């Protein structure tokens, strides 16, 4: 009985690690920036890379750590998603380590999908000029959007906001005195909680806008007819090929 109770408590703590901390407002907007963040989206089409570079200038106390953990809390809009299975398969190849507070349906279109939050883990490494730096390449995918009723509208825009960034660098002792600590999962495996310090940083802009191609409702009849014709033709060709193969096999046997 005691083991059952302990197991139940551990399960509740584990499953609650992310959800109960994702909407915390620390009120740090007025504090001075301690880092610089640059973001860009590379590639085109429905499969892209969201690249984030974080730079933290060191102070006189820095230098004890070669690297320290960093976490990005990303809130992705309804038109964009990450594939958790893809990300999990790429971790052993050096891909980003991502934790999600909820399941992500990769099949739903944009108008049936909510925004979702993911936690991306990496390491800040000391560079030659004694600054802390990391680059995280996050594969993102674009959802299909509702077709437009206006033939002039061929693209829609989805905005990717800058993330909240947290670190666990003990070299920044003076900054920890200014910024309160907050508990988040220690890593993407979500097996324990750690104290993180939010990084206040300079932004190049508030968000990155990506253009997404959309279809047109006026083309629905044409697309439906072409799809039907191609499907019927493909089925006929498949059946004809199969029957012809069977006849040739029978002839060879009779010989």
């Amino acid at each position: 009985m005691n083991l059952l109770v302990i197991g139940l408590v551990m399960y509740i703590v584990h499953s609650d690690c992310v959800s109960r901390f994702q909407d915390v407002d620390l009120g740090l907007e007025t504090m001075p920036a301690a880092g610089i963040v640059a973001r860009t989206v590379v590639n085109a089409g429905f499969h892209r890379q969201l690249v984030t570079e974080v730079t933290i200038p060191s102070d006189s106390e820095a230098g004890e750590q070669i690297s320290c953990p960093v976490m990005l809390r990303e809130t992705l809009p309804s038109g964009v998603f990450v594939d958790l299975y893809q990300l999990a398969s790429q971790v052993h190849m050096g891909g980003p380590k991502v934790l999600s507070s909820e399941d992500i349906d990769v099949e739903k279109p944009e108008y049936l999908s909510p925004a979702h939050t993911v936690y991306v883990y990496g390491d800040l490494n000391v560079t030659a000029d004694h600054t802390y730096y990391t680059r995280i390449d996050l594969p993102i995918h674009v959802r299909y959007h509702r077709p437009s009723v206006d033939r002039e509208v061929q693209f829609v825009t989805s905005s990717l906001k800058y993330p909240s960034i947290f670190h666990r660098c003990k070299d920044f002792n003076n900054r920890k005195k200014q910024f309160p600590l907050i508990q988040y999962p220690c890593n993407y495996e979500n097996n324990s909680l750690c104290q993180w310090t939010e990084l206040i940083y300079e932004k190049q802009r508030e968000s990155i806008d990506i253009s997404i191609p959309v279809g047109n409702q006026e083309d629905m009849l044409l697309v439906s007819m072409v799809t039907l014709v191609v499907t019927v033709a493909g089925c006929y060709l498949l059946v004809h090929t199969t029957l012809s193969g069977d006849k040739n096999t029978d002839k060879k046997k009779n010989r």
Side-chain angles (χ1 to χ4, degrees), residues 108-126:
K108 284 186 177 180
E110 176 271 338
Y111 50 88
L112 295 178
S113 303
H116 59 276
T117 299
V118 294
Y119 301 81
V120 187
Y121 292 84
D123 291 296
L124 288 163
N125 299 302
V126 177

